[in-house]
Amino acid sequence: MFCVDNRCTDVYFNLAAEEYLLKQKREDYFMIWQSAPSVVIGKNQSVQIEVDEEYMIEKGIHLARRFSGGGAVYHDKGNINLTFIETTSQPLFEDYLQRTVDFLETMGVTAYTDERMGIYLDGKKISGSAQCIHKDRVMYHCTLLFSTNLDVLHSVLKEKTDEWELIPRSRNVRAVSSVPSEVVNLNHFLDVSVNIKRFIHLLFHYFLTEDEKNSIYHFSRKDLAAIELLKVEKYADEGWIHHRATLKKI
């Protein structure tokens, strides 16, 4: 497995990098990354239903739509993103989830999961995940709330009510609504000497050394050019970000 320590904090570049590694490569990858303050919604979600757009604009928070499904999440420099991409004929998404929980165990944190593949501590969520399949390639990615600004998170992500709004969409595809959960930051459960920089280092080293065949991968100039093009043509494009959908209660 190639391990990518992606230091770019441009959410559009990072989402493009995921799709590029999924669709244009054949090797297995693990990528760790962070983004400047951003809301990232699932492929089939409605911006209007998930996001307080006035607050987002006021605070200068970016809005992005990812390639996978799942619910809306908030990213900032206190959040860590993990991406696993592999070639396989039998996707086992629970394996990636368990590997993440196993790492937390090495940090002295005993977490548990649920059927939606979230990770919890003391009944509160520290990680959400999403998955997708492209031919014989699979991608699993998740967040880890380390020291995220939870006040901003709660303000920019809309609370759900029993009223399910219908929003027209040309393709007549129904949007998936996020399932709200009470969240908490992981740093509350760690020794104060472990800051986010140290945590990321330990996290990356853990997956790098999982298998002696693993190695560090740096994006080549060709990679960077292709990712940047995908970013401009898709992920940073308003047409992709704001495409409309009708909502279905799930």
Side-chain angles (χ1 to χ4, degrees), residues 62-74:
H62 298 291
L63 176 64
R65 185 183 298 275
R66 63 180 179 267
F67 180 70
S68 63
V73 293
Y74 173 69

Side-chain angles (χ1 to χ4, degrees), residues 36-127:
S38 314
V39 172
V40 182
I41 62 175
K43 183 177 182 178
N44 295 313
Q45 289 198 293
S46 162
V47 174
Q48 294 92 332
I49 293 170
E50 300 298 330
V51 185
D52 185 330
E53 294 183 83
E54 288 187 9
Y55 181 88
M56 180 188 69
I57 294 169
E58 176 189 340
K59 297 298 183 181
I61 298 170
H62 298 291
L63 176 64
R65 185 183 298 275
R66 63 180 179 267
F67 180 70
S68 63
V73 293
Y74 173 69
H75 292 186
D76 63 12
K77 295 291 188 64
N79 172 67
I80 304 162
N81 301 287
L82 313 182
T83 303
F84 298 87
I85 296 171
E86 296 184 352
T87 299
T88 179
S89 58
Q90 294 183 319
L92 296 173
F93 294 118
E94 293 81 3
D95 176 61
Y96 311 116
L97 179 69
Q98 187 58 50
R99 287 157 69 184
T100 306
V101 170
D102 289 345
F103 163 73
L104 293 175
E105 190 70 37
T106 70
M107 300 294 297
V109 176
T110 301
Y112 61 93
T113 64
D114 69 354
E115 67 280 358
R116 292 183 177 273
M117 300 185 71
I119 301 177
Y120 295 81
L121 290 170
D122 288 351
K124 297 180 180 180
K125 194 171 187 177
I126 61 167
S127 173

Side-chain angles (χ1 to χ4, degrees), residues 80 103 146 186 190 195-203:
I80 304 162
F103 163 73
F146 186 90
L186 182 56
L190 296 170
N195 59 26
I196 193 166
K197 184 177 179 179
R198 175 65 176 164
F199 184 85
I200 290 172
H201 171 79
L202 294 171
L203 177 59

Side-chain angles (χ1 to χ4, degrees), residues 6 12-22 31 219 227:
N6 177 11
Y12 306 114
F13 177 93
N14 293 332
L15 294 173
E18 287 187 318
E19 184 174 336
Y20 171 76
L21 293 176
L22 177 71
M31 183 169 71
F219 289 128
I227 293 168

Side-chain angles (χ1 to χ4, degrees), residues 5 41 178 230 232 243-244:
D5 184 3
I41 62 175
S178 299
L230 183 58
V232 171
H243 76 67
R244 294 180 176 271

